[in-house]
Every structure is written in structure tokens, then in C-alpha cells.
Amino acid sequence: PLPLPVGFSQVHIENGVDTWSLEAMYMYRMHPLGYCKRLQGELLLGVRYMQFDERFDLTATGGSALEPIGALDSLSWRMRAENHIVGPQVGARLWARNRRWELSTEGRFFAGFDQQSVRQRGDVQPLNAWVIDPSQFYHVFHASEFTPGIEFRAHAKLHLTRGLALRAGYTALWIDNIARPSDMIDYTWTSTSILGIKGSANQQDVFMNGLDLGLEWNR
């Protein structure tokens, strides 16, 4: 092994997440609860598919040949992690309505099976080619994980007409055992491989939450 200093004058990093989900749920509406005729409950049972894709890109440049910071002129890589999650989902919802206003709270549990695919591609440009050869690298990792998820929703709804309502609320989602590229980079550099993917780091948890606003139409 040849120890070489690595330093950069500029580093540009981009990290982005794209996620969406699709549900098919059967809903069973119960009778009004107890003495509170306006409070009703619903039981939910179905299946859910969720896509969670994350990218982590880095471009770093070193100094010049006259003022070197390290042994590299530039280093760049593009990491992509795809999580394809599918599984059964159960939930419950409580809601109450008073004239035009309706309040509801909802919880769901998702028992997902995650098919993970992670790819890493990049290149290395040295300051001195006689010390290190310019190189390109490409690594692939696949795995399957059990990915549970818990979702909470709370909404307020204003019924404008019999079939049209304005809805606003809060949604929070926690899922476990997700492959995230920024945590899966193996920075080891050997004579046969440059960087790599740490397969043991593919079990990260994710928490997402936010406010939502929309129109609801019910025939």
C-alpha cells in the first residue's frame, strides 16, 4: 500500500429523494360509538406499494500541479438507491362531523417487502498519472429486506357542498430498513477496486412529515 494525501479545494454535493405510493384498501365503517352519535370508526385492510428512490452525487476538484492539495486532480461519483416496497397494510380511522366541519385521525401499519437496488458510478483523475492511473469505477448491490412502516394522519375537512370538501391536515410516516446511498459508500481504495458499496449499511430508517391541502370530491 502507498499512502497518498487526499484533499480538495472545491466539493459539490447533491442529495435528493423521490417517493410515491399507491394503496388499495377495503374500508369497513362501524356504527356510531357509544353515546356519541357523531363519532364513528372505520377499519382498513389492503395492500400498498411504495417507491423510495434517493440519489447522492459528488464532484470534487483538487489544487493545481503547481499548488497541489493532494494526489488527486478530481473525483466524482453518482450513487442511486432504489427501494421497491410492497406488502399488506392495516389501519383504523376515527372521525366526527358537526354540520359542515369534520375532524379525523388515522393510523396505519405497513408490513413491506423491500427489493433494493444500489448503483455507484464514478471516475478518478490524478495530478500525476505516473503515480496513479486515471480510472473509472462501477459497483452494483442488490438485497431484500423486511421494511415495516407506521403512518399517522390528522385532518380537518370543510364540506362546501354535498360532494365537495376542502381538506387540510398533517401526515407523518416512519419506515425502517431502507437503502440510502450517502450511508453506503465504502471509501476504501485498493489495487483492484476504487470505492465501493457497503452492503451492511442498507438498513436505515426514514421519517417524513408535512402538511397537506386539497379538494375532495365524493359522488
Side-chain angles (χ1 to χ4, degrees):
L2 179 62
L4 297 174
V6 177
F8 301 103
S9 60
Q10 293 183 347
V11 177
H12 178 74
I13 297 175
E14 290 186 1
N15 199 150
V17 173
D18 297 314
T19 181
W20 61 273
S21 65
L22 180 66
E23 309 174 3
M25 302 292 291
Y26 172 80
M27 180 185 67
Y28 173 74
R29 178 167 295 175
M30 298 180 291
H31 294 291
L33 303 179
Y35 295 99
C36 185
K37 301 299 182 180
R38 293 174 179 172
L39 182 62
Q40 288 189 301
E42 297 171 346
L43 299 179
L44 307 171
L45 176 64
V47 64
R48 181 174 188 170
Y49 173 80
M50 184 175 183
Q51 182 94 12
F52 187 95
D53 300 336
E54 186 169 356
R55 61 190 182 275
F56 183 79
D57 300 337
L58 179 143
T59 301
T61 56
S64 63
L66 299 178
E67 297 181 359
I69 298 178
L72 303 181
D73 178 58
S74 66
L75 171 65
S76 65
W77 68 69
R78 295 168 56 88
M79 289 273 293
R80 297 292 183 271
E82 298 179 356
N83 296 268
H84 306 270
I85 313 166
V86 64
Q89 182 174 249
V90 296
R93 178 174 178 261
L94 288 176
W95 60 278
R97 181 173 177 178
N98 184 9
R99 296 182 180 179
R100 290 184 176 271
W101 287 97
E102 179 180 317
L103 300 177
S104 66
T105 181
E106 182 177 335
R108 302 187 181 196
F109 173 74
F110 174 48
F113 174 78
D114 185 7
Q115 191 66 35
Q116 301 176 348
S117 177
V118 185
R119 291 176 173 83
Q120 181 191 74
R121 184 191 303 272
D123 64 83
V124 177
Q125 298 295 328
L127 279 177
N128 296 305
W130 59 271
V131 178
I132 307 173
D133 293 328
S135 302
Q136 294 182 342
F137 54 91
Y138 179 69
H139 305 288
V140 180
F141 172 80
H142 299 283
S144 300
E145 294 288 343
F146 171 67
T147 305
I150 299 175
E151 185 174 12
F152 171 77
R153 303 177 184 179
H155 286 94
K157 188 185 301 183
L158 174 62
H159 290 267
L160 304 176
T161 65
R162 177 174 296 183
L164 186 64
L166 178 64
R167 186 183 68 180
Y170 171 79
T171 301
L173 174 64
W174 173 86
I175 48 178
D176 200 10
N177 295 339
I178 295 292
R180 308 195 66 182
S182 60
D183 294 317
M184 298 183 65
I185 302 173
D186 184 356
Y187 293 93
T188 305
W189 189 339
T190 67
S191 59
T192 58
S193 178
I194 301 175
L195 272 66
I197 300 174
K198 293 191 296 184
S200 59
N202 67 325
Q203 300 175 346
Q204 302 295 318
D205 66 325
V206 175
F207 177 74
M208 299 180 289
N209 72 105
L211 303 176
D212 57 87
L213 179 68
L215 285 173
E216 192 173 285
W217 180 54
N218 185 18
R219 288 188 59 187

Coordinates of all heavy atoms in Angstrom, one line a residue, residues 44-105:
L44 N -59.5 -0.5 8.2 CA -58.9 -0.5 6.9 C -58.1 -1.8 6.7 O -57.3 -2.1 7.6 CB -58.1 0.7 6.6 CG -58.8 2.1 6.9 CD1 -57.7 3.2 6.8 CD2 -59.9 2.3 5.9
L45 N -58.1 -2.4 5.6 CA -57.3 -3.6 5.2 C -57.1 -3.6 3.7 O -58.0 -3.4 2.9 CB -58.0 -4.9 5.6 CG -57.3 -6.2 5.3 CD1 -56.0 -6.3 6.0 CD2 -58.2 -7.4 5.6
G46 N -55.8 -3.8 3.4 CA -55.5 -3.8 2.0 C -54.0 -4.0 1.7 O -53.3 -4.6 2.5
V47 N -53.5 -3.5 0.6 CA -52.1 -3.7 0.1 C -51.6 -2.3 -0.3 O -52.4 -1.4 -0.8 CB -52.1 -4.7 -1.0 CG1 -52.8 -4.2 -2.2 CG2 -50.6 -5.1 -1.3
R48 N -50.3 -2.1 -0.2 CA -49.7 -0.9 -0.5 C -48.4 -1.1 -1.2 O -47.6 -2.0 -0.9 CB -49.4 0.0 0.7 CG -48.8 1.3 0.5 CD -48.7 2.1 1.8 NE -48.3 3.5 1.6 CZ -48.3 4.4 2.6 NH1 -48.8 4.1 3.8 NH2 -47.9 5.6 2.3
Y49 N -48.1 -0.3 -2.3 CA -46.8 -0.3 -3.0 C -46.2 1.1 -2.8 O -46.8 2.1 -2.9 CB -47.0 -0.6 -4.5 CG -45.7 -0.4 -5.2 CD1 -44.7 -1.4 -5.2 CD2 -45.4 0.8 -5.9 CE1 -43.5 -1.3 -5.9 CE2 -44.2 0.9 -6.6 CZ -43.2 -0.1 -6.6 OH -42.1 0.0 -7.2
M50 N -44.9 1.1 -2.4 CA -44.2 2.3 -2.2 C -42.9 2.3 -2.9 O -42.1 1.3 -2.9 CB -44.0 2.6 -0.7 CG -43.3 3.9 -0.4 SD -43.2 4.2 1.4 CE -42.5 5.8 1.4
Q51 N -42.5 3.4 -3.5 CA -41.2 3.6 -4.2 C -40.5 4.7 -3.5 O -41.0 5.8 -3.3 CB -41.5 4.0 -5.7 CG -40.2 4.2 -6.5 CD -39.8 2.9 -7.2 OE1 -40.6 2.0 -7.3 NE2 -38.6 2.9 -7.7
F52 N -39.3 4.4 -3.0 CA -38.4 5.3 -2.3 C -37.0 5.3 -3.0 O -36.3 4.4 -2.9 CB -38.2 5.0 -0.9 CG -37.5 6.0 0.0 CD1 -38.2 7.0 0.7 CD2 -36.1 6.0 0.0 CE1 -37.5 7.9 1.4 CE2 -35.4 7.0 0.7 CZ -36.1 7.9 1.4
D53 N -36.8 6.4 -3.8 CA -35.5 6.5 -4.6 C -34.7 7.7 -4.1 O -35.3 8.7 -3.9 CB -35.8 6.6 -6.1 CG -36.6 5.5 -6.7 OD1 -36.5 4.4 -6.1 OD2 -37.2 5.7 -7.7
E54 N -33.4 7.4 -3.9 CA -32.6 8.5 -3.4 C -31.3 8.5 -4.2 O -30.7 7.5 -4.6 CB -32.2 8.3 -1.9 CG -31.4 9.5 -1.3 CD -31.3 9.4 0.2 OE1 -31.9 8.4 0.8 OE2 -30.7 10.2 0.8
R55 N -30.8 9.7 -4.5 CA -29.6 9.9 -5.2 C -28.6 10.8 -4.4 O -29.0 11.7 -3.7 CB -29.8 10.6 -6.6 CG -30.5 12.0 -6.4 CD -30.9 12.6 -7.8 NE -31.5 13.9 -7.6 CZ -32.8 14.2 -7.3 NH1 -33.6 13.2 -7.0 NH2 -33.2 15.4 -7.2
F56 N -27.3 10.4 -4.6 CA -26.2 11.1 -3.9 C -25.1 11.3 -4.8 O -24.4 10.4 -5.2 CB -25.8 10.4 -2.6 CG -24.8 11.1 -1.8 CD1 -25.1 12.1 -0.9 CD2 -23.4 10.7 -1.9 CE1 -24.2 12.7 -0.1 CE2 -22.5 11.4 -1.1 CZ -22.9 12.4 -0.2
D57 N -24.9 12.6 -5.3 CA -23.8 12.9 -6.3 C -22.8 13.8 -5.7 O -23.1 14.7 -4.9 CB -24.4 13.5 -7.5 CG -25.5 12.7 -8.2 OD1 -25.4 11.4 -8.0 OD2 -26.3 13.2 -8.9
L58 N -21.5 13.5 -6.0 CA -20.4 14.3 -5.5 C -19.4 14.6 -6.6 O -19.1 13.7 -7.4 CB -19.7 13.6 -4.4 CG -18.5 14.4 -3.7 CD1 -18.4 14.1 -2.2 CD2 -17.2 13.9 -4.4
T59 N -19.0 15.8 -6.7 CA -17.9 16.2 -7.6 C -16.9 17.1 -6.8 O -17.3 18.1 -6.2 CB -18.4 17.1 -8.8 OG1 -19.4 16.3 -9.5 CG2 -17.3 17.4 -9.7
A60 N -15.6 16.6 -6.8 CA -14.6 17.3 -6.0 C -13.4 17.6 -6.9 O -13.0 16.7 -7.7 CB -14.2 16.5 -4.8
T61 N -12.8 18.8 -6.8 CA -11.6 19.1 -7.5 C -10.5 19.6 -6.5 O -10.8 20.2 -5.5 CB -11.9 20.3 -8.5 OG1 -12.4 21.4 -7.7 CG2 -12.9 19.9 -9.5
G62 N -9.3 19.2 -6.9 CA -8.2 19.5 -6.0 C -7.5 20.8 -6.5 O -8.1 21.6 -7.2
G63 N -6.2 20.9 -6.1 CA -5.5 22.1 -6.5 C -4.9 21.9 -7.9 O -5.3 21.0 -8.6
S64 N -3.9 22.7 -8.2 CA -3.2 22.6 -9.5 C -1.9 21.8 -9.3 O -1.5 21.4 -8.2 CB -2.9 24.0 -10.0 OG -2.1 24.7 -9.2
A65 N -1.3 21.5 -10.4 CA 0.0 20.8 -10.4 C 1.1 21.7 -9.7 O 2.0 21.1 -9.1 CB 0.5 20.5 -11.8
L66 N 0.9 23.0 -9.7 CA 1.9 23.9 -9.0 C 1.6 24.0 -7.6 O 2.5 24.2 -6.7 CB 1.9 25.3 -9.7 CG 2.3 25.3 -11.2 CD1 2.2 26.7 -11.7 CD2 3.7 24.8 -11.4
E67 N 0.3 24.0 -7.2 CA -0.1 24.1 -5.8 C -1.0 22.9 -5.5 O -2.2 23.1 -5.3 CB -0.8 25.4 -5.5 CG 0.1 26.6 -5.8 CD -0.7 27.9 -5.5 OE1 -1.9 27.8 -5.1 OE2 -0.1 29.0 -5.6
P68 N -0.4 21.7 -5.4 CA -1.3 20.6 -5.1 C -1.8 20.5 -3.7 O -1.1 20.9 -2.7 CB -0.4 19.4 -5.4 CG 1.0 19.9 -5.1 CD 1.0 21.4 -5.5
I69 N -3.0 20.1 -3.5 CA -3.6 19.9 -2.2 C -3.5 18.4 -1.8 O -3.2 18.1 -0.6 CB -5.1 20.3 -2.1 CG1 -5.2 21.8 -2.4 CG2 -5.7 20.0 -0.8 CD1 -6.6 22.3 -2.4
G70 N -3.6 17.6 -2.8 CA -3.5 16.1 -2.6 C -3.0 15.5 -3.8 O -2.5 16.1 -4.7
A71 N -3.2 14.1 -3.9 CA -2.7 13.4 -5.0 C -3.7 13.4 -6.2 O -3.4 13.0 -7.3 CB -2.4 11.9 -4.6
L72 N -4.9 13.8 -6.0 CA -6.0 13.8 -7.0 C -6.3 15.1 -7.6 O -6.3 16.1 -6.8 CB -7.2 13.2 -6.4 CG -7.1 11.8 -5.8 CD1 -8.5 11.3 -5.3 CD2 -6.5 10.8 -6.8
D73 N -6.5 15.2 -8.9 CA -7.0 16.4 -9.5 C -8.5 16.5 -9.4 O -9.0 17.6 -9.2 CB -6.6 16.3 -11.0 CG -7.1 17.6 -11.7 OD1 -6.8 18.7 -11.3 OD2 -7.9 17.4 -12.7
S74 N -9.2 15.4 -9.5 CA -10.7 15.4 -9.3 C -11.2 14.0 -9.0 O -10.5 13.0 -9.3 CB -11.4 15.9 -10.6 OG -11.2 15.0 -11.7
L75 N -12.3 14.0 -8.4 CA -13.0 12.7 -8.0 C -14.5 13.0 -8.1 O -15.0 14.0 -7.6 CB -12.6 12.3 -6.6 CG -13.4 11.1 -6.0 CD1 -13.2 9.8 -6.8 CD2 -13.0 10.9 -4.6
S76 N -15.2 12.1 -8.7 CA -16.7 12.2 -8.8 C -17.4 10.9 -8.8 O -16.8 9.9 -9.2 CB -17.1 13.0 -10.1 OG -16.7 12.2 -11.3
W77 N -18.6 10.9 -8.3 CA -19.4 9.6 -8.3 C -20.9 10.0 -8.3 O -21.3 11.1 -7.9 CB -19.0 8.7 -7.2 CG -19.5 9.2 -5.8 CD1 -20.7 9.3 -5.3 CD2 -18.6 9.6 -4.7 NE1 -20.7 9.8 -4.0 CE2 -19.4 9.9 -3.6 CE3 -17.2 9.6 -4.6 CZ2 -18.8 10.4 -2.4 CZ3 -16.6 10.1 -3.4 CH2 -17.4 10.4 -2.4
R78 N -21.6 9.1 -8.8 CA -23.1 9.2 -8.8 C -23.6 7.9 -8.2 O -23.4 6.8 -8.6 CB -23.6 9.3 -10.2 CG -23.2 10.6 -10.9 CD -23.5 10.6 -12.4 NE -24.9 10.3 -12.7 CZ -25.9 11.2 -12.8 NH1 -25.6 12.5 -12.6 NH2 -27.1 10.9 -13.0
M79 N -24.4 8.1 -7.1 CA -25.0 6.9 -6.3 C -26.5 7.0 -6.5 O -27.1 8.0 -6.4 CB -24.6 7.0 -4.9 CG -23.2 6.7 -4.5 SD -22.9 4.9 -4.3 CE -23.8 4.6 -2.8
R80 N -27.1 5.8 -6.8 CA -28.5 5.7 -6.9 C -29.0 4.5 -6.1 O -28.4 3.4 -6.2 CB -28.9 5.5 -8.4 CG -28.6 6.7 -9.3 CD -29.5 7.9 -9.0 NE -29.2 9.0 -9.9 CZ -28.3 9.9 -9.7 NH1 -27.5 9.9 -8.6 NH2 -28.2 10.9 -10.5
A81 N -30.0 4.7 -5.2 CA -30.6 3.6 -4.4 C -32.1 3.6 -4.7 O -32.8 4.6 -4.5 CB -30.3 3.8 -3.0
E82 N -32.6 2.5 -5.2 CA -34.0 2.3 -5.4 C -34.6 1.3 -4.4 O -34.0 0.2 -4.3 CB -34.2 1.8 -6.9 CG -33.7 2.8 -7.9 CD -34.0 2.2 -9.3 OE1 -34.4 1.1 -9.4 OE2 -33.7 3.0 -10.3
N83 N -35.7 1.6 -3.8 CA -36.4 0.8 -2.9 C -37.8 0.5 -3.4 O -38.6 1.4 -3.5 CB -36.4 1.4 -1.5 CG -35.1 1.6 -0.8 OD1 -34.6 0.7 -0.1 ND2 -34.5 2.7 -1.1
H84 N -38.0 -0.7 -3.8 CA -39.4 -1.1 -4.3 C -40.0 -1.9 -3.2 O -39.7 -3.1 -2.9 CB -39.2 -1.9 -5.6 CG -38.5 -1.3 -6.6 ND1 -39.0 -0.5 -7.6 CD2 -37.1 -1.3 -6.9 CE1 -38.1 0.0 -8.4 NE2 -36.9 -0.5 -8.0
I85 N -41.0 -1.3 -2.5 CA -41.6 -1.9 -1.3 C -43.1 -2.2 -1.6 O -43.8 -1.4 -2.1 CB -41.5 -0.9 -0.1 CG1 -40.1 -0.3 0.0 CG2 -41.9 -1.6 1.2 CD1 -40.0 0.9 0.9
V86 N -43.5 -3.5 -1.2 CA -44.9 -3.9 -1.4 C -45.2 -4.8 -0.2 O -44.4 -5.6 0.3 CB -45.1 -4.6 -2.7 CG1 -44.3 -5.9 -2.8 CG2 -46.6 -4.9 -3.0
G87 N -46.5 -4.7 0.2 CA -46.9 -5.6 1.3 C -48.3 -5.2 1.8 O -48.9 -4.2 1.4
P88 N -48.8 -6.0 2.8 CA -50.1 -5.7 3.3 C -50.1 -4.5 4.3 O -49.1 -4.2 4.9 CB -50.5 -7.0 4.1 CG -49.1 -7.6 4.5 CD -48.2 -7.2 3.3
Q89 N -51.3 -3.9 4.4 CA -51.4 -2.8 5.3 C -52.8 -2.8 6.0 O -53.8 -3.2 5.5 CB -51.4 -1.5 4.5 CG -51.5 -0.2 5.3 CD -51.2 1.0 4.4 OE1 -50.2 1.7 4.5 NE2 -52.2 1.3 3.5
V90 N -52.7 -2.5 7.3 CA -53.9 -2.4 8.2 C -54.0 -1.0 8.8 O -53.0 -0.4 9.0 CB -54.0 -3.5 9.2 CG1 -54.0 -4.9 8.6 CG2 -52.7 -3.4 10.2
G91 N -55.2 -0.6 9.1 CA -55.3 0.7 9.8 C -56.7 0.9 10.4 O -57.6 0.1 10.3
A92 N -56.8 2.0 11.1 CA -58.1 2.4 11.7 C -58.2 3.9 11.7 O -57.2 4.7 11.7 CB -58.1 1.9 13.2
R93 N -59.5 4.4 11.6 CA -59.7 5.8 11.4 C -60.9 6.2 12.3 O -61.9 5.5 12.3 CB -60.0 6.2 10.0 CG -60.4 7.6 9.7 CD -60.5 7.9 8.2 NE -60.9 9.2 7.9 CZ -62.2 9.6 7.6 NH1 -63.2 8.7 7.6 NH2 -62.4 10.9 7.4
L94 N -60.8 7.3 13.1 CA -61.9 7.8 13.8 C -62.2 9.2 13.3 O -61.3 10.0 13.0 CB -61.5 8.0 15.3 CG -61.4 6.7 16.1 CD1 -60.9 7.0 17.5 CD2 -62.7 6.0 16.2
W95 N -63.5 9.5 13.1 CA -63.9 10.8 12.6 C -65.2 11.2 13.2 O -66.0 10.4 13.6 CB -63.9 10.8 11.1 CG -64.9 9.8 10.5 CD1 -64.7 8.5 10.3 CD2 -66.3 10.1 10.1 NE1 -65.9 7.9 9.8 CE2 -66.8 8.9 9.6 CE3 -67.0 11.2 10.0 CZ2 -68.1 8.8 9.1 CZ3 -68.3 11.2 9.5 CH2 -68.8 9.9 9.0
A96 N -65.4 12.5 13.3 CA -66.6 13.1 13.8 C -67.0 14.3 12.9 O -66.1 15.1 12.5 CB -66.5 13.5 15.2
R97 N -68.3 14.5 12.7 CA -68.8 15.6 11.9 C -69.8 16.4 12.7 O -70.7 15.9 13.3 CB -69.3 15.1 10.6 CG -69.8 16.2 9.7 CD -70.2 15.6 8.3 NE -70.8 16.7 7.5 CZ -71.2 16.5 6.2 NH1 -71.1 15.3 5.7 NH2 -71.7 17.5 5.5
N98 N -69.7 17.7 12.5 CA -70.7 18.7 13.1 C -71.0 19.7 12.0 O -70.2 20.6 11.7 CB -70.1 19.3 14.3 CG -71.1 20.2 15.0 OD1 -72.3 20.2 14.7 ND2 -70.6 21.0 16.0
R99 N -72.2 19.5 11.4 CA -72.6 20.3 10.3 C -71.6 20.2 9.2 O -71.4 19.2 8.6 CB -72.9 21.7 10.8 CG -74.0 21.8 11.8 CD -74.3 23.3 12.2 NE -75.4 23.3 13.2 CZ -75.8 24.5 13.7 NH1 -75.2 25.6 13.4 NH2 -76.8 24.4 14.6
R100 N -71.0 21.3 8.8 CA -70.1 21.4 7.7 C -68.6 20.9 8.1 O -67.8 20.6 7.2 CB -70.0 22.7 7.1 CG -71.3 23.2 6.4 CD -71.1 24.5 5.7 NE -72.3 24.9 4.9 CZ -72.5 24.5 3.6 NH1 -71.6 23.8 3.0 NH2 -73.6 24.9 3.0
W101 N -68.3 20.8 9.3 CA -66.9 20.5 9.7 C -66.8 19.1 10.1 O -67.7 18.5 10.7 CB -66.5 21.4 10.9 CG -66.3 22.8 10.6 CD1 -67.1 23.9 10.7 CD2 -65.1 23.3 10.0 NE1 -66.5 25.0 10.2 CE2 -65.3 24.7 9.8 CE3 -63.8 22.8 9.6 CZ2 -64.3 25.6 9.3 CZ3 -62.9 23.6 9.1 CH2 -63.1 25.0 8.9
E102 N -65.6 18.5 9.7 CA -65.3 17.1 10.1 C -63.9 17.0 10.5 O -63.0 17.5 9.8 CB -65.6 16.2 8.8 CG -65.3 14.8 9.1 CD -65.5 13.9 7.8 OE1 -66.5 14.1 7.1 OE2 -64.6 13.1 7.5
L103 N -63.6 16.3 11.6 CA -62.3 16.1 12.1 C -62.0 14.6 12.1 O -62.9 13.8 12.5 CB -62.1 16.6 13.6 CG -62.3 18.1 13.7 CD1 -62.2 18.5 15.2 CD2 -61.3 18.9 12.9
S104 N -60.8 14.2 11.8 CA -60.5 12.8 11.7 C -59.0 12.5 12.1 O -58.2 13.4 11.9 CB -60.7 12.2 10.3 OG -59.8 12.8 9.4
T105 N -58.8 11.4 12.6 CA -57.4 10.9 12.9 C -57.3 9.5 12.5 O -58.2 8.7 12.6 CB -57.1 11.0 14.4 OG1 -55.7 10.6 14.7 CG2 -58.0 10.2 15.3

